[in-house]
């Protein structure tokens, strides 16, 4: 076990870290939904009947999100929470590693001179669009969210 695996195991044994990670994950999901649907913090604040500053604190992970506040936010956004899962630390670590690998693959696909290491036997006529479609099929079901690894993201 390397240093990062030990650190990961130690952090996930801490309820405080897990709480912060959950808050960051849910906040990231809310921010992503708002971005995809063109909803501003001010617009969400109006729907919730709170100030824009209160919304900013919630979706930036500065304030605890209760089940009640998550439900209220979903209703205000006209959305619902789907697919929330509880998995082992080992499986979570594997998923995070896959997400990291897929993000790197996506970056390689989107930049010029995509290396075809995984696709060496692919026909020379295979286009970037075909590679991108294959990447999307390979990553189907992998959550695409900011904050998935606990990093803070600006809104």
């Amino acid at each position: 076990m390397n240093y990062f695996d030990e650190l990961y195991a130690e952090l996930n044994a801490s309820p405080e870290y897990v709480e912060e990670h959950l808050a960051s994950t849910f906040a990231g999901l809310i921010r992503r939904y708002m971005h995809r649907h063109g909803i501003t913090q001010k617009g969400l604040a109006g729907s919730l009947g709170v100030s824009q500053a209160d919304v900013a604190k919630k979706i930036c992970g500065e304030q605890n999100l209760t089940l009640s506040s998550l439900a209220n936010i979903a209703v205000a956004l006209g959305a619902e929470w789907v697919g929330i899962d509880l998995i082992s630390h080992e499986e979570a670590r594997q998923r995070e590693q896959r997400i990291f690998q897929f993000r790197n693959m996506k970056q390689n696909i989107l930049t010029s001179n995509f290396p075809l290491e995984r696709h060496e036997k692919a026909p020379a006529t295979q286009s970037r669009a075909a590679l991108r479609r294959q990447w999307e099929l390979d990553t189907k079901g992998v959550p695409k969210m900011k904050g998935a690894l606990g990093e803070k993201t600006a809104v």
Side-chain angles (χ1 to χ4, degrees):
M1 187 181 281
N2 67 32
Y3 170 76
F4 292 107
D5 290 334
E6 290 174 13
L7 179 61
Y8 183 82
E10 183 180 326
L11 285 173
N12 279 296
S14 161
E16 293 83 12
Y17 170 79
V18 173
E19 181 179 332
E20 186 176 321
H21 179 72
L22 281 171
S24 175
T25 298
F26 278 103
L29 290 169
I30 294 166
R31 286 192 308 272
R32 187 178 77 192
Y33 183 90
M34 290 172 63
H35 177 74
R36 283 189 300 177
H37 292 87
I39 300 169
T40 64
Q41 290 181 11
K42 188 174 182 178
L44 178 57
S47 297
L48 291 170
V50 299
S51 71
Q52 183 270 330
D54 287 339
V55 168
K57 287 178 186 175
K58 286 181 192 260
I59 66 173
C60 289
E62 293 177 19
Q63 193 176 66
N64 277 342
L65 291 167
T66 64
L67 291 176
S68 177
S69 65
L70 288 171
N72 290 336
I73 289 170
V75 169
L77 292 172
E80 58 186 85
W81 294 103
V82 177
I84 300 167
D85 200 1
L86 185 64
I87 59 175
S88 70
H89 292 304
E90 182 179 327
E91 187 177 348
R93 181 73 171 148
Q94 290 170 355
R95 283 186 185 184
E96 287 180 349
Q97 288 172 346
R98 280 197 314 262
I99 290 168
F100 180 75
Q101 290 168 348
F102 289 137
R103 285 181 181 161
N104 285 340
M105 183 189 301
K106 178 181 178 183
Q107 187 61 37
N108 287 336
I109 289 171
L110 297 177
T111 58
S112 59
N113 302 322
F114 173 67
L116 291 176
E117 297 148 2
R118 265 187 76 196
H119 307 281
E120 286 179 349
K121 296 182 182 175
T125 58
Q126 189 170 17
S127 67
R128 285 192 190 284
L131 290 172
R132 183 180 179 99
R133 281 192 299 278
Q134 183 59 48
W135 175 81
E136 288 171 351
L137 290 173
D138 289 347
T139 60
K140 195 168 193 161
V142 176
K144 298 174 186 169
M145 63 184 99
K146 291 183 180 176
L149 302 175
E151 72 267 17
K152 296 288 182 183
T153 53
V155 176

